[in-house]
Amino acid sequence: MVHLTWGDAVPPEFFSGSRARIMELQRDNGAIPWYDGGVIDPWNHTEAAMGLTVLGEIDHARRAFRYLAETQLKDGSWWGQLGSAVPFDDDEQRFTGEEHEAGHHIRDTNFAAYIATGAWHHYLVTRDRKWLAGIWPHVKAAISFVLAHQSPHGDIRWSAADPHTPEDDALITGCSSIYKSLECAAHIARELGEPSRDWLTARARLGEALRDKPHRFDRTWEPKDRYSMDWYYPVLAGVVTGEAARKRLDWKWDIFVADGKGCRCVLDQPWVTVAESAELTMALLVAGRRKEAEAMLSWQHQWRADCGAYWMGYQFEDDVAWPAEKPAWTAAAVILATDAVTGMTPAARLFAERTLAEAAE
């Protein structure tokens, strides 16, 4: 197995297993499901496409973006699935693989916004302005859908008000991700000479809500603070920066981080997940904590399967990979974090430092 030492160039073969895993999952229509027989949602699909972009699989990445263009609804959204609400087969301790079990179709605002992040990331690598102009109408429509769900308080409703999603509420993780997507959307608009002021204003209001109006989140359901993503995502997305970001990461570090293993998905389970650990790696970079970021990422390589792809997570009390799945987006998260740490591509800094966040304050 190839090992990685920070400071050295990443060997081309290091991610051969992850590349193969994502590409074998990609369907003929460009869609990239979570895992074998799994569902598709626009967020995780785009994450996988970004991983392909980093690895130079540009044609496959563009097939994934074409899938988004072809399946976008008239209002700018997509039908999607609840990514974190997947059921488990208790007997086999693995995903069941049944698409209908992963939740009702929804029009999730975070899922819709993420095309902007993926598109800007792709452009930073390829510098193909013609391609960027081609995806622009889809980015614009998606952001219009998202901002139509922003409240007067600045928070953004988690989904459109469909029969299966009546809860008028907002999520910290989802809104933080949207904050980053609005940054990327504004970059695209500026690159193409399109107006972006209204988007930046909406982004500033969203940031204020996330920082100063905690009562606007989790109003109708149990708080999501047992999930690590609510802890580090405001840092990863640039909502909380500087010393405040470092204090936030210190705040729950001992709760969510299992030393030598990674980041727990939830605080009350002995289960580290590779994607969350990779995202925390990038949040640490944004907060200026490179040494901890390198350590966090280095721990993840012990959770690689023999094929070179990454298990979704590891239950460290039972000492087993769990669930027994190797999702495309897990591989992509490690690829993106590695790029952020080592600078493999021109897009590396997108998830490693403050960009538009600096100018917005």
Side-chain angles (χ1 to χ4, degrees):
M1 181 177 289
V2 179
H3 295 281
L4 193 64
T5 300
W6 306 133
D8 298 335
V10 180
E13 66 270 27
F14 185 79
F15 282 120
S16 59
S18 294
R19 173 190 281 108
R21 179 59 176 159
I22 298 172
M23 291 174 64
E24 75 182 9
L25 286 171
Q26 188 171 35
R27 299 175 180 174
D28 291 342
N29 64 356
I32 306 175
W34 293 355
Y35 46 83
D36 301 294
V39 300
I40 302 159
D41 74 69
W43 197 101
N44 288 298
H45 166 90
T46 301
E47 183 91 342
M50 292 162 69
L52 291 173
T53 298
V54 170
L55 298 182
E57 298 292 347
I58 304 303
D59 288 343
H60 282 270
R62 291 189 177 179
R63 283 175 54 198
F65 282 107
R66 283 198 297 273
Y67 170 80
L68 290 177
E70 291 168 358
T71 56
Q72 189 173 31
L73 301 175
K74 290 182 179 180
D75 66 357
S77 69
W78 285 267
W79 290 119
Q81 298 285 346
L82 282 170
S84 62
V86 292
F88 296 99
D89 183 325
D90 293 332
D91 294 331
E92 297 184 10
Q93 288 197 334
R94 57 172 289 138
F95 285 117
T96 63
E98 295 296 326
E99 293 193 16
H100 67 84
E101 293 181 344
H104 297 295
H105 283 81
I106 61 172
R107 290 180 292 151
D108 185 294
T109 51
N110 174 35
F111 287 5
Y114 205 60
I115 188 176
T117 300
W120 181 242
H121 176 270
H122 190 84
Y123 175 72
L124 289 175
V125 174
T126 65
R127 290 294 173 181
D128 188 337
R129 200 168 184 275
K130 182 178 180 181
W131 179 87
L132 189 67
I135 201 73
W136 164 251
H138 302 285
V139 172
K140 183 178 180 181
I143 297 301
S144 295
F145 164 77
V146 172
L147 293 184
H149 293 83
Q150 186 169 35
S151 83
H153 304 277
D155 55 296
I156 294 176
R157 196 184 197 275
W158 75 286
S159 74
D162 291 321
H164 294 304
T165 55
E167 304 92 341
D168 183 11
D169 211 333
L171 293 162
I172 291 173
T173 297
C175 281
S176 296
S177 181
I178 291 171
Y179 186 84
K180 184 68 177 181
S181 291
L182 289 171
E183 172 189 315
C184 295
H187 278 306
I188 296 171
R190 289 179 174 181
E191 182 66 25
L192 297 176
E194 298 285 347
S196 61
R197 180 176 297 178
D198 289 348
W199 292 357
L200 291 174
T201 299
R203 178 177 175 273
R205 292 175 55 229
L206 177 59
E208 290 171 2
L210 283 161
R211 288 186 294 269
D212 303 328
K213 301 177 183 178
H215 58 280
R216 292 299 305 170
F217 301 88
D218 299 335
R219 304 188 308 274
T220 64
W221 47 55
E222 287 295 315
K224 306 298 183 184
D225 54 2
R226 65 187 289 263
Y227 293 92
S228 61
M229 295 175 77
D230 265 21
W231 162 57
Y232 67 75
Y233 243 83
V235 177
L236 173 61
V239 178
V240 180
T241 57
E243 185 60 26
R246 290 184 282 276
K247 287 181 178 179
R248 186 177 182 91
L249 294 181
D250 287 341
W251 174 37
K252 293 187 177 181
W253 183 268
D254 293 338
I255 295 175
F256 284 116
V257 175
D259 190 56
K261 300 178 179 66
C263 181
R264 298 173 189 253
C265 176
V266 292
L267 60 84
D268 53 351
Q269 294 294 328
W271 177 41
V272 292
T273 42
V274 174
E276 274 84 347
S277 300
E279 289 177 337
L280 179 55
T281 295
M282 294 183 280
L284 285 161
L285 289 174
V286 173
R289 292 193 163 174
R290 184 175 183 85
K291 183 178 179 180
E292 292 98 323
E294 291 179 352
M296 178 63 61
L297 184 57
S298 70
W299 299 341
Q300 302 320 300
H301 305 314
Q302 65 188 305
W303 312 134
R304 283 205 292 178
D306 290 341
C307 67
Y310 290 82
W311 296 111
M312 181 178 176
Y314 212 81
Q315 214 281 7
F316 51 84
E317 283 191 357
D318 293 339
D319 194 26
V320 293
W322 187 82
E325 301 291 351
K326 301 181 288 292
W329 39 267
T330 295
V334 179
I335 293 166
L336 290 170
T338 303
D339 189 24
V341 169
T342 65
M344 295 187 295
T345 77
R349 292 186 298 174
L350 182 60
F351 298 107
E353 64 180 30
R354 298 172 65 191
T355 52
L356 198 62
E358 189 77 48
E361 293 185 351

